[in-house]
Amino acid sequence: GDSVTQMEGPVTLSEEAFLTINCTYTATGYPSLFWYVQYPGEGLQLLLKATKADDKGSNKGFEATYRKETTSFHLEKGSVQVSDSAVYFCALSQKTSYDKVIFGPGTSLSVIP
Amino acid sequence: NAGVTQTPKFQVLKTGQSMTLQCAQDMNHNSMYWYRQDPGMGLRLIYYSASEGTTDKGEVPNGYNVSRLNKREFSLRLESAAPSQTSVYFCASSDGRGQYFGAGTRLSVL
C-alpha cells in the first residue's frame, strides 16, 4: 500500500541555519504531495503542496519539489527562525471516492536563538 | 472565517462514560474526517465522510460511531469510553486539494 517515510527527529537548529527535512514516498500512480505543519497545541496546517512531477510548492519561505524519479518531496528553508519550531508532516493524497491522505510520522524541529 | 471548529477543546471522562465530539466547517467542503493523534503513532484515521449522507470506517474505528448531520457538521461519539481512547482528536475537512484541520480535542479517560 501507499506509504510516506520521513527523517527521524528531533531536529535542532540554530536560528538562520538551513533546513532540510527528507521525505520519500511509495505510491501507485501520481499522487499529490503535501507538507503540513503543527505548532504546539494546535491542529495541522497545510504548508505547501505539489500535484505533479517537477512541481515546486512554496510558502512562508519553505519549498519542496516533487521528484518522481526519486519518489521524494524534501522540505527546505534557507534561514529558519525560532517561530518555525513545530512538527512537520509529509503526506500524499490519492484521488479515490474521497480525499484519502497518508501522513508520515512527523519530524519535530526546534530552532534555538 | 472560522474554518473547522471543534468542541470541546478539553474533556476528562471516567471509564464507561459516553460523549460526543462536535465538528463543524464553514468552507462548504464535501469530505470530512476524524483522526486521533497519539505519541509515536502519528495520525490515524477513525472515520470519514466523503459526502453528506455517507460515512465509512477508517483505520481504527472500533469503539467509535459518527454522524454526518449535514454538509457542515460531522460528530464523533464514544459510547463507552476506555482508557485506550485517551488521545487528541482532530476533525478535518477537504475540498480535494488539501485537508483543513480543527484545533483538536484533548480527551483523557480515567
Side-chain angles (χ1 to χ4, degrees), chain B residues 1-104:
Chain B
N1 190 351
V4 179
T5 303
Q6 289 184 238
T7 55
K9 295 190 187 307
F10 302 93
Q11 184 71 49
V12 179
L13 293 177
K14 294 181 180 178
T15 297
Q17 287 185 317
S18 63
M19 78 161 295
T20 299
L21 281 63
Q22 306 287 351
C23 174
Q25 53 94 7
D26 62 2
M27 295 174 283
N28 202 38
H29 289 169
N30 284 322
S31 301
M32 297 186 73
Y33 311 81
W34 277 105
Y35 293 92
R36 60 178 290 173
Q37 185 178 38
D38 302 290
M41 303 293 289
L43 279 161
R44 292 184 290 173
L45 182 64
I46 305 171
Y47 270 92
Y48 67 94
S49 171
S51 61
E52 184 179 356
T54 69
T55 61
D56 284 288
K57 296 178 180 179
E59 184 184 353
V60 288
N62 291 346
Y64 306 95
N65 285 299
V66 290
S67 295
R68 183 74 182 266
L69 304 170
N70 47 55
K71 192 170 186 179
R72 291 186 64 247
E73 299 173 287
F74 189 39
S75 62
L76 178 72
R77 182 161 179 83
L78 286 70
E79 291 291 352
S80 178
S84 60
Q85 294 178 305
T86 293
S87 187
V88 181
Y89 291 85
F90 289 102
C91 177
S93 69
S94 171
D95 59 358
R97 292 173 289 181
Q99 294 194 354
Y100 297 83
F101 286 77

Side-chain angles (χ1 to χ4, degrees), chain A residues 32 34 36 38 40-46 49 89 93 95 97-101 103-105, chain B residues 31 33 35 37 42-43 45 48-50 90 94-104 106:
Chain A
S32 296
F34 303 84
Y36 286 84
Q38 184 179 31
E42 299 184 9
L44 280 71
Q45 300 175 26
L46 179 62
K49 66 180 180 184
F89 293 88
S93 173
K95 281 302 282 185
S97 60
Y98 70 104
D99 182 21
K100 178 179 180 180
V101 179
F103 290 92
Chain B
S31 301
Y33 311 81
Y35 293 92
Q37 185 178 38
L43 279 161
L45 182 64
Y48 67 94
S49 171
F90 289 102
S94 171
D95 59 358
R97 292 173 289 181
Q99 294 194 354
Y100 297 83
F101 286 77
R106 285 146 185 81

Side-chain angles (χ1 to χ4, degrees), chain A residues 6-12 21 84-88 105-110:
Chain A
Q6 291 179 235
M7 62 186 291
E8 291 192 17
V11 174
T12 302
I21 300 178
D84 293 326
S85 298
V87 180
Y88 292 82
T107 301
S108 177
L109 170 66
S110 293

Side-chain angles (χ1 to χ4, degrees), chain A residues 1-6 23-28 31-34 70-73 90-94 100-105:
Chain A
D2 295 350
S3 65
V4 176
T5 303
Q6 291 179 235
C23 170
T24 58
Y25 67 92
T26 301
T28 56
S32 296
L33 301 176
F34 303 84
T70 55
T71 62
S72 65
F73 193 54
C90 185
L92 68 83
S93 173
Q94 297 276 23
K100 178 179 180 180
V101 179
I102 306 296
F103 290 92

